[in-house]
């Protein structure tokens, strides 16, 4: 009984901390929204308000007028979808082997997965730049896709190995005893159980490619070839002076696809990532 | 999620004992090659090529053939005070982001492990920084920090805390300002990792400790932390590496300014390579960064092996 006030104070402190965190998390995003829907007149005011007094879509229109946003979005979409599909198609068989066999190759591969997380990309991008230039794949979305595939592979492997391990080996053995061949077992027993994991991995690869900036900045030069993150930086002029409204509008639009996708697969991603990160 | 991890672990235990089982047999090479070839061609290859380049005078757009110059790039680097300054900034940035990130995330993970009402909201909001392109995070915080139209200065004015300042352009404020953004951007991921670790610690241990009369701090020190340590070490080492290598966020926020106060090593190397065309020199910088990172990578691997044994 005597502990009750203390416990209540503890609860209050807990909620205060939690609300503090929620505010820290939310306020920059809410501010982005606020700026995106404000007319130029209010953006020039020295005393900005949270809620736009005269909300407008003018910034969005202006953003599309100023920069080739649609073009950039379709480049981003093309790069991200191709990278995700190819990476998962290549990684799934290998992940299967890594999860089911403890060979030297499998161990080397999982070591590589870890090491690849640690590259300073500048060491990789210079040779890639030279090679892609010789192949005339610089300044092209296919060239970028090649880079994204390799860049997404380690993480895809990492997640997929965890998903394969979650499929009980006993099921496969049972199918084998029932006379199913290896291919048949893979297709009719393993694949359906693995499908949600494969989808989650592909979506994660999609998000990382959609969000990627460094490789795209170095490899894509002509404005019509550039992806959304690169085009976004054009709104910030060379002097760092930006047209705030259109900048915020474009930034908000660039975030929507990954926010939606991430919201859908968030649980699976965290599960898969952790399974890979802690034990593999 | 914890249930799924639990299951995975037992499955692995089962398959770990005795000879390898499963259906992937002799045909394994055909399954491995599709991923192995592009990885070798487009990541191991360039990595080795990059290390070679560090010993040459390679430059972009030069017609003369590239020459082998031994360790000249490295000895030049040794005397390049600008590089070491950016290296120092990189370390300050990486520590300045990783440590608060970990402490805040740990506190938050402990909170979210409790039965609190706003958990769903925290979960929903945590998606935002995690899913946002780094470029957008940078853009967003530029809007927050904007000296006139930004919400930060306006809030400070409302609270009577002075007239505000130009955070990203101030020599003293720029680095702390970008560090705050770094913490903001990486916190959710760290929190979720630690939370998953917490949820995997057996409840019974906690209860037993509570029955024995252990206070909150003792329970944390004797039950929670030992179980959490492997994952905490792993995530901290990875965070440090990622932060040390980061580029997009600071490129958008300050582009290394003012006066190089936020010029992280990656920004420095990028300028050296793609503005001044010094490929060989920039590759040498990459090598030095790899060497430093290896130390933390080793830490991570140790954490992972220990994690595998303890769990």
């Amino acid at each position: 009984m005597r502990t009750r006030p203390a416990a209540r104070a503890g609860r209050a402190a807990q909620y205060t901390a939690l609300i503090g965190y929620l505010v820290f998390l939310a306020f920059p995003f809410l501010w982005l929204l606020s700026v995106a829907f404000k007319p130029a007149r209010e953006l020039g005011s020295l005393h900005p308000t949270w809620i736009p007094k005269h909300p407008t879509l003018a910034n969005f229109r202006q953003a599309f007028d100023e920069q080739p946003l649609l073009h950039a979005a379709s480049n981003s979409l093309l790069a991200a979808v191709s990278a995700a599909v190819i990476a998962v198609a290549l990684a799934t068989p290998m992940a299967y082997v890594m999860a089911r066999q403890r060979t030297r190759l499998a161990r080397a591969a999982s070591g590589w997965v870890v090491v690849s997380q640690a590259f300073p990309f500048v060491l990789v991008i210079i040779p890639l730049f030279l090679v892609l230039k010789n192949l005339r794949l610089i300044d092209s979305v296919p060239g970028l896709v090649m880079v994204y595939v390799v860049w997404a592979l380690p993480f895809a492997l990492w997640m997929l190995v965890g998903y394969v391990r979650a499929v009980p080996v006993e099921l496969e053995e049972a199918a084998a005893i029932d006379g199913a061949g290896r291919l048949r077992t893979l297709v009719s027993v393993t694949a359906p159980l693995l499908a949600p994991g494969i989808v989650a991995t592909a979506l994660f690869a999609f998000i990382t490619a959609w969000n990627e900036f460094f490789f795209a900045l170095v490899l894509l030069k002509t404005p019509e070839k550039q992806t959304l993150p690169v085009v976004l930086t054009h709104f910030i002029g060379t002097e760092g002076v930006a047209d705030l409204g259109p900048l915020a509008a474009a930034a908000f639009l660039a975030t929507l696809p990954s926010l939606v996708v991430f919201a859908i697969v968030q649980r699976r991603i965290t599960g898969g990532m952790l399974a890979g990160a802690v034990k593999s | 999620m914890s249930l799924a991890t639990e299951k995975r672990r037992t499955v692995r235990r089962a398959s770990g004992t005795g000879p390898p089982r499963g259906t992937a047999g002799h045909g394994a090479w055909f399954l491995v090659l599709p991923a192995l070839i592009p990885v070798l061609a487009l990541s191991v290859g360039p990595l080795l090529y990059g290390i070679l380049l560090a010993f040459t005078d390679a430059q972009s757009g030069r017609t003369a053939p590239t020459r082998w110059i031994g360790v000249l790039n490295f000895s030049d680097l040794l005397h390049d005070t600008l590089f070491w300054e950016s290296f120092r900034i990189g370390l300050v940035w990486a520590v300045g982001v990783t440590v608060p990130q970990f402490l805040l995330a740990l506190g938050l993970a402990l909170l979210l492990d409790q039965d609190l009402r706003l958990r769903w909201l925290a979960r929903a909001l945590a998606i935002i920084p995690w899913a946002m392109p780094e470029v957008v995070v940078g853009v967003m915080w530029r809007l927050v920090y904007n000296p006139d139209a930004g919400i930060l200065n306006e809030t400070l004015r409302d609270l009577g805390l002075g007239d505000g300042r130009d955070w990203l352009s101030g020599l003293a404020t720029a680095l702390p300002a970008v560090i705050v953004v770094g913490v903001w951007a990486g916190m959710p991921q760290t929190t979720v990792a630690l939370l998953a670790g917490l949820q995997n610690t057996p409840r019974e241990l906690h209860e037993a400790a509570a029955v024995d009369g252990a206070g909150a701090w003792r329970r944390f020190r004797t039950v929670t932390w030992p179980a959490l340590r492997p994952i905490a070490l792993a995530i901290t080492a990875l965070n440090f590496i990622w932060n040390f290598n980061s580029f997009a966020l600071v490129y958008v926020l300050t582009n290394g300014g003012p006066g190089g106060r936020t010029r992280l090593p990656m920004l420095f190397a990028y300028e050296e390579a793609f503005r001044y065309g010094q490929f060989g020199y920039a590759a040498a910088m990459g090598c030095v960064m790899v060497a430093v990172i290896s130390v933390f990578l080793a830490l991570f691997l140790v954490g992972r092996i220990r994690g595998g044994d303890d769990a």
Side-chain angles (χ1 to χ4, degrees), chain A residues 11 14-15 17-19 21-22 24-29 31-32 35 43 45-48 50 90-91 93-94 96-97 100-102 105 110 112 114-115 117-133 146-147 149-150 153 155 157-158 162-163 165-170 172-173 176 182 185-186 204 207 210-211 213-214 217-218 221 229 232-233 236 240-242 244 247-248 251-252 254-255 258-259 262-263 266-267 269-280, chain B residues 1 5 8-9 11-12 14-16 20-29 31-32 34-36 38-39 42-44 46-47 49-51 53 60-61 104 108 111-112 114-119 121-123 125-136 139-144 146 148-151 154-155 157 180 183-184 187-189 191-193 196 231 234 238 241-242 245 247-248 251-252 266 269-270 273-274 278-279 282-284 286-287 289-290 293 297 300-301 304 307-308 311:
Chain A
R11 269 273 127 137
Q14 285 180 343
Y15 274 110
L18 186 59
I19 288 166
Y21 170 68
L22 294 181
F24 180 53
L25 214 55
F27 93 90
F29 188 67
W31 186 244
L32 177 77
V35 173
L43 286 170
S45 144
L46 272 180
H47 290 285
W50 271 106
L90 297 179
M94 180 152 175
Y96 183 78
V97 175
R100 288 285 188 252
Q101 291 197 329
R102 325 183 113 240
L105 181 70
S110 72
W112 176 252
V114 176
V115 172
Q117 295 297 302
F119 283 174
F121 289 131
V122 69
L123 195 55
V124 185
I125 191 67
I126 297 170
L128 276 177
F129 182 86
L130 292 172
V131 169
L132 290 176
K133 201 169 151 193
M146 280 169 65
V147 177
V149 165
V150 176
L153 265 177
F155 224 85
L157 276 175
W158 189 308
Y163 289 123
R165 288 210 176 117
V167 176
V169 110
E170 289 76 13
E172 290 175 7
E173 286 168 349
R182 185 186 301 156
T185 309
L186 279 179
F204 193 69
I207 295 172
W210 176 272
N211 291 352
F213 177 64
F214 183 64
L217 174 72
V218 172
K221 289 295 160 213
L232 263 185
T233 62
I236 307 165
V241 191
L244 299 182
L247 174 67
F252 174 62
T255 310
S258 34
L259 271 185
F262 206 92
Q266 190 243 133
R267 272 162 189 276
I269 285 172
T270 50
M273 263 175 42
L274 288 165
V278 188
K279 25 208 102 226
S280 88
Chain B
M1 194 161 67
T5 323
R8 214 165 282 147
R9 190 181 302 159
V11 167
R12 201 188 140 208
S15 61
R21 297 190 294 173
T23 45
H26 303 293
W29 273 101
L31 299 175
V32 174
L36 204 59
V39 163
L42 280 161
S43 86
V44 182
L47 184 69
Y49 187 8
I51 294 171
L53 277 173
S60 75
L104 289 171
L108 188 69
L111 264 183
L112 294 179
Q114 313 281 316
D115 196 17
L116 294 185
R117 250 167 227 180
L118 293 171
R119 275 210 303 206
L121 186 60
R123 217 186 164 108
L125 285 177
I127 289 176
I128 295 177
W130 199 346
M132 261 188 175
E134 275 185 292
V135 168
V136 176
V139 163
M140 187 172 72
W141 279 87
R142 279 184 76 124
L143 299 174
V144 169
N146 188 289
D148 302 320
I151 192 62
E154 179 60 16
T155 308
R157 283 191 289 263
V180 168
V183 172
W184 183 88
M187 237 181 98
Q189 207 168 343
T191 307
V192 170
I231 203 172
L238 269 185
I241 293 169
W242 286 332
N245 284 338
F247 176 82
Y251 178 90
V252 174
M266 272 290 284
Y270 165 78
F274 295 101
Q278 301 294 334
F279 281 170
C287 289
M289 289 171 71
V290 168
I293 285 161
L297 197 62
F300 169 81
L301 289 171
R304 219 165 62 123

